[in-house]
Amino acid sequence: MAEKKYDVIVIGELNVDLILNKIDSFPEIGKEKLARDMSLVLGSSSAILASNLSSLGTKVGFIGKIGNDIFGELTLNSLASKKVDTSLIIKSDQYRTGATIVMSFGNDRANITYPGAMEELTCLDIKDEILLQARHLHFSSYFLQPGMQEGFINLMARAKKLGLTTSMDPQWDPSEEWDIDLASLLPFIDFFLPNVSEFTAITKTKNLGEGFKKIDSKNTLIIKMGTEGVCLF
């Protein structure tokens, strides 16, 4: 088998995180609160996964969309510093790079996200000749990328037909509607990686046990459980 350019291609959202720590209390309308610590860093579960994989020696390429702006440059530079190939990332003059304000309180946090260019990536941007360069395809943040939802199942089916293994991290749905055809999608996903809340919301159940009963698939479920680790099924 010919050697592939990438071990993994990651498709996903791209944004920066403005993280506020040591906050006096939750924000209130008409009042000003203080944060005693702040950082501006690469955000996006997709980009963080790509960076960590690359740091472990994996050959990683990234497909996403950013604006032609300062946050976009920070995103590209951060990925490149981890040796992630950014040549597949699309720069837009029409849309701005996404950003998330993260307000941290102890072990939990509240997020507000401006999606920007991440909403404009579509399955038409991912060609077979790109997929053929990789051994594995990972996708993250389905609900933050409405442009990817039309044709998404077909994209994952294409990847499988071309010989790639696949994984998906759905992430949170800001609308909390959880509109996804899991039964049609899962046959093309080798590794499905939601957290507990996402899994029960997507399966419309109250707990993991009920959720597993609604899953009829031979793929691997990796349920993230925060500080308690993960459950592998």
Side-chain angles (χ1 to χ4, degrees):
M1 181 183 295
E3 184 176 352
K4 302 286 187 178
K5 182 176 181 179
Y6 306 109
D7 295 313
V8 179
I9 282 180
V10 177
I11 302 174
E13 85 288 17
L14 286 172
N15 61 276
V16 298
D17 279 355
L18 177 62
I19 304 174
L20 303 177
N21 289 307
K22 300 180 182 178
I23 300 174
D24 292 338
S25 63
F26 272 104
E28 297 179 55
I29 298 296
K31 296 184 180 181
E32 186 166 356
K33 306 291 183 178
L34 296 179
R36 301 297 178 178
D37 185 55
M38 180 188 78
S39 57
L40 180 65
V41 298
L42 176 68
S44 131
S45 65
S46 308
I48 292 169
L49 178 138
S51 297
N52 290 341
L53 282 177
S54 185
S55 295
L56 293 170
T58 307
K59 295 180 292 184
V60 182
F62 199 103
I63 301 175
K65 185 169 283 191
I66 58 174
N68 189 12
D69 50 35
I70 293 175
F71 285 170
E73 287 301 312
L74 187 152
T75 298
L76 290 176
N77 291 338
S78 298
L79 288 170
S81 72
K82 297 295 186 180
K83 296 182 170 51
V84 175
D85 187 329
T86 62
S87 63
L88 301 175
I89 294 175
I90 302 166
K91 294 180 74 172
S92 170
D93 291 322
Q94 185 177 0
Y95 303 100
R96 290 177 288 179
T97 304
T100 297
I101 298 175
V102 182
M103 294 170 283
S104 297
F105 298 87
N107 291 327
D108 211 343
R109 62 187 184 179
N111 297 347
I112 298 178
T113 294
Y114 164 73
M118 73 173 71
E119 290 188 322
E120 307 306 320
L121 185 71
T122 74
C123 292
L124 296 177
D125 294 316
I126 295 95
K127 309 297 184 185
D128 284 358
E129 51 265 35
I130 295 176
L131 296 177
L132 283 168
Q133 299 179 60
R135 296 170 52 232
H136 181 87
L137 176 65
H138 176 78
F139 179 85
S140 182
S141 301
Y142 177 85
F143 301 104
L144 282 175
Q145 299 176 91
M148 289 293 299
Q149 292 173 16
E150 182 176 353
F152 179 69
I153 294 175
N154 180 60
L155 168 64
M156 304 311 284
R158 280 198 286 133
K160 293 295 295 179
K161 186 176 181 179
L162 293 171
L164 285 75
T165 51
T166 60
S167 56
M168 178 185 178
D169 184 346
Q171 292 286 311
W172 189 255
D173 179 5
S175 72
E176 298 190 41
E177 294 179 356
W178 305 99
D179 185 14
I180 184 171
D181 185 358
L182 203 60
S184 298
L185 174 62
L186 280 182
F188 307 111
I189 306 293
D190 294 304
F191 302 93
F192 188 54
L193 302 97
N195 66 25
V196 175
S197 297
E198 293 156 0
F199 181 69
T200 54
I202 288 172
T203 56
K204 296 177 172 53
T205 55
K206 296 180 180 179
N207 54 59
L208 293 181
E210 290 182 9
F212 294 141
K213 291 178 182 178
K214 296 186 69 172
I215 298 296
D216 182 19
S217 177
K218 296 180 180 179
N219 59 359
T220 300
L221 300 179
I222 302 170
I223 310 297
K224 297 175 290 183
M225 304 182 71
T227 58
E228 298 179 12
V230 300
C231 283
L232 175 66
F233 297 88

